[in-house]
Amino acid sequence: MPSEISPGLVIQGFTPPLRLSDFRLVAFDMDSTLINIECVDEIADAVGKKEEVAAITEAAMRGEITDYKESLRRRVALLEGVTVADMEQVYTQRLQLNPGAEALVQACKAAGLKVLLVSGGFTFFTDRIRDRLGIDYTRSNMLEVRSGPNCGELTGRMVDQEWGDICDGAEKRKMFLETCARLGISPGQAIAMGDGANDLPMMGEAGLSVAYHAKPKVREQAMVQINAGGLDRLLEVLR
């Protein structure tokens, strides 16, 4: 049975505290986990389509849309005409790290953990968050930008990368397991943290799964629920 060990902090399936140093990897989702926004929704605002895109995002994160790749293609198609300058404005004016993000990443790194960022969002943002927090590995989607006439505008499509087309739940799990293998560790020596249904495949492999201000389906399956406060509340469970 779930147990609330302090207000807004719930555990199930184990007895705390665990030791942070027992783990070798921590994997984070980005949108609404490490950062405060869903980037695709905020980008869509530049072309007056935020409400339409946000409705699809919400359904996908709740697990009501089972084909994540198709839901993302639909959302990205609505971004046609958004400029790189618009995205820069989202980054500088709307995007913030969630409370405790920097403290938790620093604590993990100090304890010797590597840090992985796996996102259904976009390289434009994950690359910046990687550099800002000193993250070791990332995987996310790449938006196609027009060259020639109307250069600097999004085409409404994504670019295939060497690992595949779209970072969905299955790809997050694959990258999580590949990173564990690269480090020579078992998935049980890794922590996975997210908020949406597309995070569940990697969270299901991890030795410790953490739901941060998450959708009901994710909270039900996570070993730790942070329902109030910042990301660094995980350090109340890990000593």
Side-chain angles (χ1 to χ4, degrees):
M1 289 288 292
S3 172
E4 188 168 43
I5 60 172
S6 63
L9 186 65
V10 177
I11 63 168
Q12 54 186 350
F14 71 99
T15 303
L18 301 172
R19 291 189 306 176
L20 187 56
S21 58
D22 288 337
F23 296 94
R24 306 306 301 159
L25 174 71
V26 60
F28 292 99
D29 169 52
M30 184 177 71
D31 294 46
S32 299
T33 301
L34 266 187
I35 66 172
N36 64 320
I37 60 172
E38 293 287 337
C39 290
V40 67
D41 299 354
E42 301 306 319
I43 298 169
D45 201 21
V47 283
K49 295 180 179 176
K50 180 176 179 178
E51 190 173 333
E52 185 176 355
V53 169
I56 302 171
T57 300
E58 178 69 12
M61 292 303 100
R62 286 185 172 277
E64 295 162 5
I65 296 176
T66 54
D67 189 341
Y68 180 85
K69 287 189 178 185
E70 183 55 33
S71 84
L72 187 59
R73 289 191 187 99
R74 283 169 55 197
R75 284 175 283 166
V76 169
L78 294 168
L79 304 182
E80 184 176 2
V82 170
T83 67
V84 171
D86 291 328
M87 293 198 293
E88 189 67 42
Q89 192 170 44
V90 169
Y91 179 74
T92 58
Q93 297 184 12
R94 302 191 186 192
L95 185 153
Q96 297 176 10
L97 294 175
N98 269 329
E102 195 162 9
L104 179 57
V105 170
Q106 287 178 349
C108 288
K109 289 170 74 72
L113 282 72
K114 294 294 187 181
V115 184
L116 167 65
L117 176 58
V118 275
S119 175
F122 310 114
T123 54
F124 184 91
F125 300 100
T126 56
D127 287 356
R128 287 163 169 77
I129 297 300
R130 174 198 65 202
D131 295 345
R132 190 165 163 183
L133 292 176
I135 288 169
D136 300 289
Y137 313 106
T138 64
R139 180 153 295 177
S140 58
N141 303 302
M142 184 178 291
L143 293 166
E144 186 179 65
V145 180
R146 283 197 177 93
S147 55
N150 300 318
C151 66
E153 288 186 358
L154 300 185
T155 65
R157 296 185 296 272
M158 286 169 284
V159 178
D160 287 356
Q161 299 177 72
E162 58 182 20
W163 47 263
D165 56 354
I166 290 176
C167 187
D168 60 354
E171 185 60 38
K172 286 188 177 194
R173 175 182 177 274
K174 177 169 167 278
M175 180 58 175
F176 176 79
L177 294 174
E178 284 177 358
T179 306
C180 289
R182 178 188 299 185
L183 296 172
I185 65 172
S186 76
Q189 293 172 280
I191 302 165
M193 200 163 190
D195 75 299
N198 62 329
D199 298 314
L200 287 172
M202 74 167 178
M203 289 172 67
E205 297 286 349
L208 186 68
S209 57
V210 185
Y212 180 71
H213 293 246
K215 305 304 182 192
K217 186 175 181 180
V218 181
R219 291 199 305 269
E220 287 169 9
Q221 297 184 43
M223 297 166 70
V224 178
Q225 301 173 27
I226 301 173
N227 300 324
L231 286 154
D232 56 345
R233 294 205 68 192
L234 182 60
L235 300 175
E236 296 176 36
V237 177
L238 297 170
R239 296 287 184 252

